[in-house]
Amino acid sequence: MNTAEEVHDFVNKGHEQYLPHLSIDCVIFGYHERQLKILLIQHHGHEEWMLPGGFIQRHETLTEAAYRILAYKTGISDLFLQQFYTFGDSAARLNRIAIQQIHNKTYAKVGVTLDENHWLAERTLSIGYYALVDYSNVVVRPEFLVDEYAWRDISDIPALQYDHNEIIDKALLTLRAQLYQQPIGSNLLPEKFTLPEVHDLYETILGRRFDRRNFRKKLLALGLIRQLNEQRKIGPHRSPNLYEFDLDNYHRALNEGAALVL
Amino acid sequence: MNTAEEVHDFVNKGHEQYLPHLSIDCVIFGYHERQLKILLIQHHGHEEWMLPGGFIQRHETLTEAAYRILAYKTGISDLFLQQFYTFGDSAARLNRIAIQQIHNKTYAKVGVTLDENHWLAERTLSIGYYALVDYSNVVVRPEFLVDEYAWRDISDIPALQYDHNEIIDKALLTLRAQLYQQPIGSNLLPEKFTLPEVHDLYETILGRRFDRRNFRKKLLALGLIRQLNEQRKIGPHRSPNLYEFDLDNYHRALNEGAALVL
């Protein structure tokens, strides 16, 4: 929403356009040179930060909604989004009055107060999606009710609105587990990359150190990467070997279920 | 629901008790002696089979709802349920008239016809949960609107209601991938098991054959199982070695993210 009028329309007539009780929250992981960050937003009137998110239109599919919200909130489109979990257990999601108060702080900017039967004050379950991008390529688009955007390092996430810390924890666990099942790094590294590049990526995402020689051996043995008969020339005496993700192998593994391992 | 009166109450006043637009569907995998089956139900008035499922009460958490539904529909409680995906893309979920017709066939048994604005005819997204049990231990509880129950082999699943075939496909992929990350077999095998027992379980769930010696080597190398200094006496000249799942290792891996592999 970009104007006060659009906000009024959303508050007053949003239930005609959107499904109640359901939202989508996006965990956008941003990777760049050994750093892993998450995109957070701060709504008007709030100290607390939160994840970007939105509602599902009555006539669009769930997947369409996730991509629309991501594009609208961040200016990012054409990005691999992955649904990872639906959140409906937190006490914060059952406390109607607390939810109403959070909304009222935000909508005070346009002089709106929700009554307790308002559709936005209803209990809402949230479907979590994550994506992984190079944050140096992202230009976030401003929005009317959002005061601030920030990329925060995963080791430095503050206490967030609702159950968004729990959503981030689960997204990070899923990202780490799927690093062995899906070519998650393929949109972060050049098509042909060096061993230090993929090693840095894995160390950063997994938050652990790996011996470089064992790492190479294991990634090759698991069929995750393939060594090319090519080098990158980066200096008169430095021409490291190049590797690529073995996408056929990933694809087969996904269809057969974890065939990468056994 | 066990009586016509309960069904009437549900149809007429269910929206006061349950959240609209959301349901839970359960994929109950049953394993027994090299067979992997799924529990299906057939509602009154329908040729098609479907998965057991239900709605979320307004004041219970999502996890509570999943366990309540499983216990109510199948008589199974105290079982590990795993949420795996939320389904909201299928065209069948957007077709209000088709949904209304499906419900009307079922509720004809109690002389009820839904009008097109009825809460049960609304678009509904479904949150999928799966569980894995020894089906020889399960006694399914009959219900008023359910005519038949059946355990169907995963290679022999008929065309199901709504998008339930898609839900099963995704559940099976998830089960197979998680077989390397979670001690999924631990409630199906005795605490101490033989190599042929765990080998059969993995072959059946993954739908593939493994050379027994390589399988043992890989499972030990991955830290999934641990060999015990114990044998099971099954005959005068047959005392196979016993193994157990390495639960500490699984637990650590889940917290650190796929540490089982690297």
Side-chain angles (χ1 to χ4, degrees), chain B residues 33-147:
Chain B
E33 285 178 2
R34 296 194 65 86
Q35 294 196 77
L36 186 63
K37 303 187 179 213
I38 290 174
L39 181 64
L40 297 178
I41 66 171
Q42 194 179 42
H43 267 154
H44 181 78
H46 291 275
E47 299 274 307
E48 295 88 356
W49 293 74
M50 59 190 292
L51 293 167
F55 292 92
I56 302 160
Q57 289 177 1
R58 289 179 177 267
H59 299 291
E60 73 188 340
T61 67
L62 177 56
T63 301
E64 285 165 357
Y67 280 95
R68 177 182 53 75
I69 289 165
L70 182 75
Y72 192 83
K73 293 269 164 180
T74 67
I76 306 168
S77 60
D78 198 23
L79 175 66
F80 181 67
L81 264 181
Q82 173 97 20
Q83 189 200 115
F84 64 95
Y85 202 75
T86 294
F87 297 84
D89 284 354
S90 149
R93 297 202 166 273
L94 292 163
N95 186 340
R96 208 181 167 86
I97 291 164
I99 296 169
Q100 191 189 355
Q101 283 168 351
I102 292 172
H103 282 301
N104 279 337
K105 276 196 202 176
T106 313
Y107 293 117
K109 184 173 181 181
V110 292
V112 166
T113 311
L114 312 187
D115 70 45
E116 81 173 48
N117 294 315
H118 194 278
W119 75 279
L120 284 168
E122 298 255 27
R123 175 180 175 192
T124 300
L125 280 73
S126 175
I127 305 171
Y129 279 80
Y130 82 81
L132 188 57
V133 294
D134 183 333
Y135 65 77
S136 70
N137 294 332
V138 174
V139 182
V140 174
R141 191 165 87 170
E143 222 199 324
F144 190 76
L145 291 176
V146 176
D147 282 354

Side-chain angles (χ1 to χ4, degrees), chain A residues 124-142:
Chain A
T124 300
L125 280 72
S126 176
I127 305 171
Y129 279 80
Y130 83 81
L132 189 57
V133 294
D134 182 334
Y135 65 78
S136 69
N137 294 332
V138 174
V139 183
V140 174
R141 192 165 86 171

